[in-house]
Amino acid sequence: MTTVSASPFTGLDAERFATHLAQRSYLPAWWIAAKQEAWNEFNSLPMPSRKDEHWRFANLKGLALEDFQVPEDHSSLVPRLPDFPQASEIIFSNCQVVGRTGLPQELADQGVIFASLDEALRDHSDLMRKHFQRHPVQLGGQKFIALNVAFAASGTFLYVPKGVKVDLPFVVQHTLSGDRQSIFPHTIVVLEDQAEASLVEFFVSGDTKSQLASGVNDLHAGQNAKLTYVGAQNWSDDTLSFQANSIHAERDAHIQCLNVHLGGRQARHESHSRLAGPGSHCDMLALTVAKEAQEFDQRTLQTHQAPHTTSNLLYKNALIDTAKTIFSGLIVVDPDAQQTDAYQTNRNLLLSDKAEANSLPGLEIQANDVRCSHGATSGRVPPEQEFYLQSRGIDPAKAHELIVFGFFEEVLSRLDNEQLHTVLSDLIQSKFKKS
Amino acid sequence: MKSLEIRDLTVALTESPDQPIVKGLSLTIKTGEVHAIMGPNGTGKSTLSKAIAGHPDYKVTSGDVLIDGVSVLEMEPDERARAGIFLAFQYPAEIPGVSIANFLRAAEQARLADGENVDAAAYYKRLYSKMDSLKIDRKFTSRSVNEGFSGGEKKRCEILQMAMLEPTFALMDETDSGLDIDALKIVAEGVNNLRGDNLGVMMITHYQRLLDYIVPDFVHVMYDGRIVKSGDKSLAIELEAKGYDWIKEEFATASA
Ligand SMILES: Nc1ncnc2c1ncn2[C@@H]1O[C@H](COP(=O)(O)OP(=O)(O)O)[C@@H](O)[C@H]1O
Ligand SMILES: [Mg+2]
C-alpha cells in the first residue's frame, strides 16, 4: 500500500497553510479551528490506494497534488456565461469575489442571505457553523474534502428562512485561471422549513492551464422545503477536479440535484443524499460528456433513513474518443425506512470503440417493504439513427452531437427552468465546438 | 434538367460481398419524372434505395450511380444528401430526445455555407406551413423524431422532411405501406405538390393502389435484383390484375 504521510509537495505545504491561516485571523475561531483540524486530517489520510474499493478503476497516478499552488490573491479576466433571469449572482475569480449583483431588497427583508464565505463568516457565523460539514460525504474522497476545508476561501452561503419562496435561481460562478493554480470552493445551502429556492453553480477555467479544484457542498432542505441545485463544471482539459455533494432532506423535503460534467483531465464527483425525514424525496441527476483522454469518476450513495422516502438517480454519460467513466452507486435502506422507493440508473452512450464505461451499481436493503431497483446500460449509438441523420445531410460529428443531446434530454427536461435548460444546453454544446 | 443514372449496379451486403442482392440494374431518372418500381418482397427494392443513399450495410460491388454524370459512390451519406438525394425510409428510425424542429433545423443548417445561419423566424414559418398542408399537428415540432409515432405519422413526417429539404431526387421506399386511405391521400397530395421540373422520383411500392393517387410516368417491375419489365401506368394495372406470380414464373426460370 502506498501511504503518503507527510505532505511532500511544495505548493500546498505547511508553510502555505500557515500563511493561509494567518491571513484569515480575523475570521471566527471555530472556522480557524476547523481548518486546522482539516489540515491535520489531510496530512494523516493516505492517498487512495489500489486496494481501496472506493477508488476502483480510477487512475490513481493522476491524483498527484504535488504541482499545485494556493492561488495568489489575484483576479483575471472572467469568461462571461450567458445571462439568464436570476435572483442574485456572485462571481469568483480564483478565490476572489470579482462581481456580484445585490440581493433584491424584498429578499433581504425576508431574511434571505446570499453571501460569500467571508461575508457569511463575519455576519452569520453561528448560522453557518450549524450547517457547515454537518453531514460529511464519506465516499473515499475524505482527503480531498479535508483539503477543501483547509484552504477554503471562496464559496457561498445561501440561507432561505422558513416559508420564504424564491422563484429565480441564485447563481454562483467560480473561475479558475493561471498555471498550477487551485481553488477550494465551499458552498452551504440551507433552506428552512417550507422554503423554496434554487442555486446554480458554474465552475469554469479562464484558460487552458493545468489546475486543481476541490469543491464541497453542504445542501440542506428543511421540512417540506424544495431545493434545486445545479452544478455545471467546464474546467480546462488539464484540470484535476474533486467535488463532494452532501444532500440532506428532512420530512417531506423535495430536492433535485443536477451535475453537469464537461471539463477536466480527471474529475471525481461524490454525491451522498440522506433521506432523513419521512416522505422526503431526492432526484440525483448527472450528465457527462467525456472526450479524448478524460476520466470522470462518479460515486454515489442514497441513504434512506426514514419511511416513505423516495430517491431517483439517473446518471448519463456520453463517451467519445478514448475517454473513461466510472459510476459506482449504492442504495442503502435502513431497517426503519419502510415503503421506500429508490432507483438508480446509469446509462452510458459510447460514441467510440475505444471509450471505456465502468459501472458498479449496488443495493443494501435492510427493510422488507421497499421498492428498489438499479440498472446500468452501455451501448453504442444505434447505426440506424446515425444513418438516418446522415441521410438528411447532417455530417457524422453533428449527428453524434444531436444524438447525445437527445440522450441527455430525458435529464434536461426535468428542469422546470426553461432558460436554465437553454444555458446548460449551450454549455454542453460548447464542448462539441472546442476541438 | 438533371439526371440520376443507375448504371449496371450490383449491390451486396457489406458483410457478404460475393452474394449480390441487386444484380446489374440500370435505370435513369430525370427531374420532372416519376418512376414507380414494383416487385415482390425480398427482391432488393429497399437495398437499391439504401445503397444509392450510401447506407454502410451495403456495398456496391460493380456499376455506378451518377448525378449529372458525376459518381456519388465515393461520397458519404450526408454528402449525397446535400448533393440532392433524399431517401424516404420504409422504416424510419426513431431518435429519442431529438425534436423534429431541432433535427430539421440541423439538416437545413448543414446545407448552408460556413458562417451562415438558419433564419429561425423564416424557418418556423416554412415548417408550420408545410406541416399544415400535410395535416401534421404543429405540436409535433417538439416531439422526438419518429418516437412513438404511428405508421402513418412516420410516413407523413418523411414527406415533411422531403418538403423542407427540397431534394433533386427522392427515393421513396413503400411510403404507402401501413397507411389507411385517408393518410394515403394526404401523403399522395404532399408528393404531388412537390412534383415538378425540379424533382425526380423513384417510388418503390408493393401495391398498385398508390399509383392511383400518384400517377407515374414510368413503371418498372423488379424481380430478383433486376428490372425485368418496364412500361407505363398500364403495366401497374396489369400487375394488379395478374399478381406477381407470372413474373416469378417467367423470370425465375430465366435467371436460374
Ligand atoms: N441488412 C440486411 N441484412 C440481411 N439481409 C438483408 C439485409 N438487407 C437486405 N437483405 C436481404 O436482401 C434481400 C432483399 O431485401 P430488400 O432489399 O429489403 O427487399 P425488398 O425491399 O424488395 O422487399 C432479402 O433477401 C433480404 O433478406
Ligand atoms: Mg423493402
Side-chain angles (χ1 to χ4, degrees):
Chain A
M1 196 162 119
T2 50
T3 310
V4 182
S5 48
S7 178
F9 48 85
T10 51
L12 304 170
D13 60 8
E15 196 182 325
R16 282 311 305 253
F17 179 69
T19 314
H20 175 83
L21 268 199
Q23 285 168 342
R24 280 158 183 82
S25 55
Y26 58 93
L27 292 172
W30 70 267
W31 176 253
I32 301 294
K35 279 178 165 289
Q36 184 63 59
E37 196 186 317
W39 175 248
N40 297 344
E41 189 187 357
F42 170 72
N43 283 300
S44 66
L45 286 171
M47 283 296 273
S49 79
R50 259 295 139 241
K51 290 185 185 139
D52 194 339
E53 189 60 23
H54 281 307
W55 291 87
R56 206 166 151 208
F57 298 123
N59 170 18
L60 300 181
K61 282 203 193 84
L63 301 175
L65 299 168
E66 281 76 4
D67 280 344
F68 299 105
Q69 300 172 1
V70 178
E72 332 270 301
D73 281 351
H74 81 287
S75 57
S76 57
L77 218 57
V78 177
R80 276 305 299 172
L81 290 168
D83 259 328
F84 63 107
Q86 49 199 238
S88 186
E89 181 181 38
I90 302 180
I91 301 170
F92 295 92
S93 173
N94 290 354
C95 61
Q96 302 270 88
V97 175
V98 293
R100 67 175 302 166
T101 56
L103 187 64
Q105 194 56 46
E106 55 159 319
L107 294 181
D109 290 346
Q110 293 179 89
V112 173
I113 300 165
F114 183 54
S116 70
L117 277 192
D118 270 17
E119 291 166 344
L121 284 164
R122 185 188 66 207
D123 301 335
H124 310 283
S125 169
D126 291 345
L127 201 52
M128 233 185 92
R129 184 181 189 176
K130 188 173 157 201
H131 295 282
F132 172 75
Q133 281 290 280
R134 198 162 134 198
H135 306 283
V137 176
Q138 285 170 331
L139 286 169
Q142 287 90 327
K143 187 176 178 80
F144 306 101
I145 293 173
L147 183 65
N148 168 279
V149 172
F151 283 110
S154 56
T156 32
F157 180 53
L158 172 63
Y159 177 83
V160 185
K162 186 170 176 176
V164 174
K165 294 177 170 47
V166 187
D167 287 336
L168 293 174
F170 294 88
V171 178
V172 177
Q173 181 181 336
H174 291 281
T175 308
L176 178 53
S177 44
D179 193 30
R180 297 187 295 148
Q181 298 294 311
S182 54
I183 53 167
F184 307 96
H186 200 113
T187 305
I188 301 171
V189 178
V190 180
L191 267 56
E192 296 287 15
D193 298 350
Q194 282 100 48
E196 287 182 18
S198 45
L199 176 71
V200 183
E201 288 195 287
F202 296 101
F203 302 91
V204 294
S205 290
D207 53 37
T208 56
K209 299 289 189 338
S210 167
Q211 289 147 358
L212 167 70
S214 180
V216 175
N217 292 337
D218 304 323
L219 309 177
H220 176 93
Q223 294 190 14
N224 215 15
K226 190 166 179 255
L227 168 63
T228 303
Y229 173 82
V230 176
Q233 70 90 341
N234 192 19
W235 298 125
S236 82
D237 290 342
D238 202 9
T239 293
L240 172 63
S241 156
F242 303 93
Q243 182 77 31
N245 266 3
S246 164
I247 303 162
H248 186 87
E250 292 191 5
R251 174 185 281 271
D252 297 323
H254 188 286
I255 300 181
Q256 185 183 56
C257 268
L258 165 61
N259 284 90
V260 177
H261 307 286
L262 301 173
R265 157 174 63 81
Q266 186 169 350
R268 167 132 173 152
H269 182 243
E270 298 179 0
S271 191
H272 183 182
S273 61
R274 292 176 176 88
L275 289 305
S280 55
H281 171 83
C282 184
D283 277 330
M284 297 166 79
L285 305 169
L287 297 175
T288 304
V289 183
K291 225 170 118 168
E292 290 164 8
Q294 286 183 303
E295 174 179 307
F296 291 91
D297 182 1
Q298 304 173 86
R299 313 275 163 161
T300 67
L301 178 55
Q302 296 150 265
T303 309
H304 289 256
Q305 300 169 330
H308 297 284
T309 48
T310 54
S311 68
N312 198 345
L313 178 149
L314 178 57
Y315 275 35
K316 290 194 152 190
N317 299 323
L319 294 95
I320 309 171
D321 307 321
T322 57
K324 173 177 166 185
T325 60
I326 303 158
F327 170 80
S328 170
L330 183 64
I331 296 173
V332 173
V333 182
D334 287 354
D336 293 342
Q338 298 294 1
Q339 266 111 45
T340 283
D341 278 3
Y343 302 103
Q344 181 201 90
T345 308
N346 167 226
R347 300 211 185 287
N348 301 304
L349 179 68
L350 298 156
L351 295 119
S352 137
D353 283 333
K354 297 188 199 91
E356 175 189 329
N358 303 280
S359 247
L360 298 160
L363 292 176
E364 205 178 289
I365 301 170
Q366 296 166 47
N368 49 27
D369 182 16
V370 299
R371 281 197 298 179
C372 290
S373 76
H374 62 110
T377 56
S378 290
R380 294 295 312 268
V381 174
E384 69 275 11
Q385 291 185 17
E386 227 169 330
F387 179 66
Y388 191 77
L389 293 170
Q390 286 179 38
S391 76
R392 299 310 183 233
I394 299 168
D395 69 50
K398 184 72 189 173
H400 277 181
E401 183 186 322
L402 281 172
I403 288 167
V404 169
F405 269 93
F407 175 65
F408 283 174
E409 188 54 30
E410 182 187 3
V411 169
L412 286 175
S413 65
R414 298 216 193 157
L415 290 172
D416 289 336
N417 186 325
E418 271 299 314
Q419 285 105 343
L420 184 56
H421 184 307
T422 307
V423 167
L424 294 178
S425 295
D426 290 348
L427 190 67
I428 294 169
Q429 197 143 41
S430 71
K431 174 117 181 187
F432 287 88
K433 294 214 174 84
K434 72 177 176 188
S435 52
Chain B
M1 193 188 59
K2 296 189 166 195
S3 70
L4 175 69
E5 187 188 350
I6 303 161
R7 188 187 289 169
D8 199 16
L9 193 72
T10 300
V11 181
L13 288 175
T14 307
E15 59 189 30
S16 48
D18 44 357
Q19 288 173 299
I21 299 170
V22 173
K23 301 168 180 173
L25 185 146
S26 295
L27 175 67
T28 298
I29 298 169
K30 299 192 176 100
T31 47
E33 297 174 350
V34 173
H35 292 247
I37 296 194
M38 304 185 69
N41 279 329
T43 259
K45 303 185 296 297
S46 293
T47 300
L48 172 66
S49 63
K50 286 194 263 185
I52 296 170
H55 195 294
D57 283 358
Y58 301 95
K59 186 176 165 58
V60 170
T61 52
S62 68
D64 210 343
V65 177
L66 313 105
I67 294 179
D68 289 343
V70 179
S71 175
V72 302
L73 292 185
E74 292 303 314
M75 295 183 188
E76 295 299 320
D78 56 306
E79 295 174 275
R80 297 187 197 192
R82 295 195 298 271
I85 292 175
F86 180 92
L87 172 60
F89 286 77
Q90 182 174 5
Y91 304 109
E94 302 186 359
I95 324 267
V98 178
S99 70
I100 301 239
N102 284 346
F103 162 62
L104 270 173
R105 197 170 160 162
E108 299 228 322
Q109 182 68 46
R111 286 162 171 75
L112 299 179
D114 273 351
E116 275 182 56
N117 279 309
V118 170
D119 172 349
Y123 162 73
Y124 274 100
K125 198 171 162 216
R126 258 184 84 227
L127 179 61
Y128 285 143
S129 90
K130 310 262 184 209
M131 290 177 89
D132 291 350
S133 65
L134 285 162
K135 302 198 170 53
I136 299 173
D137 192 325
R138 290 185 180 192
K139 288 200 193 87
F140 267 67
T141 48
S142 57
R143 297 251 323 246
S144 298
V145 176
N146 295 322
E147 200 184 33
F149 287 18
S150 70
E153 287 166 345
K154 282 184 183 167
K155 296 300 168 81
R156 262 184 283 169
C157 183
E158 294 292 289
I159 304 303
L160 172 67
Q161 294 169 43
M162 183 173 147
M164 288 295 285
L165 301 177
E166 297 177 339
T168 317
F169 296 101
L171 318 171
M172 303 177 61
D173 192 1
E174 304 221 15
T175 302
D176 54 329
S177 62
L179 296 186
D180 61 30
I181 193 72
D182 292 330
L184 181 71
K185 283 181 184 167
I186 295 168
V187 163
E189 194 187 309
V191 175
N192 285 328
N193 287 338
L194 298 172
R195 267 180 100 158
D197 292 345
N198 298 319
L199 176 68
V201 178
M202 182 173 106
M203 196 167 61
I204 293 168
T205 180
H206 189 71
Y207 305 103
Q208 190 266 336
R209 186 182 69 156
L210 176 68
L211 307 183
D212 291 338
Y213 297 95
I214 306 173
V215 180
D217 302 299
F218 304 93
V219 174
H220 310 277
V221 179
M222 187 168 168
Y223 181 69
D224 192 24
R226 295 182 183 88
I227 287 176
V228 294
K229 231 176 171 46
S230 295
D232 61 12
K233 192 182 180 273
S234 60
L235 179 57
I237 295 165
E238 190 184 346
L239 270 176
E240 179 76 358
K242 298 211 252 172
Y244 287 114
D245 285 351
W246 65 278
I247 298 273
K248 290 186 190 169
E249 278 157 30
E250 191 174 336
F251 294 96
T253 40
S255 65

